[in-house]
Amino acid sequence: MARYNGPKTKISRIFGEPILGNGKWLGKNSNPPGQHGAQRKRKTLGEYALQLREKQKAKYTYGVLEKQFRKTFEEAARRKGVTGENLIKLLEARLDNAIFRMGIAPSRPAARQLVSHKHVTVNGSVVNIPSYQLQPGDIVALKDKSKDNSAITSQVRGKNQKFTWVDWNETTMTGTFITYPEREAVPENIKEQLIVELYSK
């Protein structure tokens, strides 16, 4: 499946914020990408352009392609509650994202690679699908053989305390997806209501 593997800073400069990586270069050059980026002023975007831009930002942030993103949105719309908030909850419940939140991998692409290479188990069974939807109470762990792989364990940095919807036990190398997060707890700067409006047209 094709994914964006180009310069991360270029994407950050498109959106004017560090949506991929730490954005340390964004402070040095926040102009739009391209040869004449410094001469181009950022245009005032129309309603549709703003909605499309927000969707693209969410897709780049979580590493999801269009078809999968639409399926996730449709599932969010079927569920009870606010569709936009449901969308963020489902994106946060992806296995690759949960591994990133638990601190097992330093980034979502690295987490996706761990899953694809069969280093991760869910409730004791190997799962190699990054988009696998976790349910509250699911136990995520590194495979026993992978726990002895220093290249993998050296990347484990432990959970950030502000991510209260996941837990990670560094001693046993196991984590728990406790619950779906509340929208205000998710730090990503995504205006999900604009995405809802886009798909509602």
Side-chain angles (χ1 to χ4, degrees), residues 9-158:
T9 305
K10 180 179 179 180
I11 299 302
S12 296
R13 284 169 62 192
I14 289 173
F15 294 101
E17 55 185 278
I19 63 169
L20 294 175
N22 58 21
K24 61 181 179 181
W25 298 108
L26 193 59
K28 295 183 178 181
N29 187 359
S30 59
N31 295 317
Q35 182 180 357
H36 304 291
Q39 283 78 43
R40 292 207 318 263
K41 292 183 178 179
R42 293 188 184 274
K43 297 178 181 178
T44 301
L45 300 177
E47 181 185 13
Y48 176 76
L50 285 171
Q51 293 166 349
L52 184 61
R53 185 187 181 93
E54 213 60 32
K55 183 189 74 169
Q56 289 172 329
K57 187 198 295 185
K59 285 166 58 181
Y60 276 121
T61 299
Y62 288 97
V64 183
L65 296 178
E66 177 60 35
K67 185 177 180 181
Q68 202 171 54
F69 191 84
R70 179 174 278 277
K71 283 179 65 178
T72 305
F73 177 84
E74 289 170 352
E75 175 60 28
R78 279 194 293 269
R79 297 193 174 197
K80 291 181 179 179
V82 180
T83 300
E85 292 183 6
N86 288 343
L87 175 63
I88 298 298
K89 289 178 180 180
L90 290 173
L91 290 170
E92 284 291 325
R94 285 172 55 96
L95 178 57
D96 55 356
N97 183 76
I99 288 171
F100 167 63
R101 292 296 193 206
M102 289 175 187
I104 305 172
S107 65
R108 289 185 180 92
R112 192 174 302 118
Q113 188 176 48
L114 277 182
V115 177
S116 299
H117 291 184
K118 300 183 178 180
H119 291 294
V120 176
T121 65
V122 177
N123 299 328
S125 300
V126 173
V127 176
N128 65 340
I129 303 170
S131 61
Y132 179 88
Q133 279 288 316
L134 293 173
Q135 302 298 320
D138 280 350
I139 305 297
V140 177
L142 288 173
K143 224 168 44 171
D144 287 341
K145 189 175 180 181
S146 302
K147 291 177 183 178
D148 298 325
N149 187 331
S150 60
I152 295 173
T153 56
S154 64
Q155 296 292 315
V156 177
R157 67 189 190 285

Side-chain angles (χ1 to χ4, degrees), residues 168-180:
W168 174 251
N169 187 317
E170 202 163 340
T171 304
T172 60
M173 289 281 182
T174 60
T176 306
F177 182 73
I178 300 171
T179 186
Y180 293 106

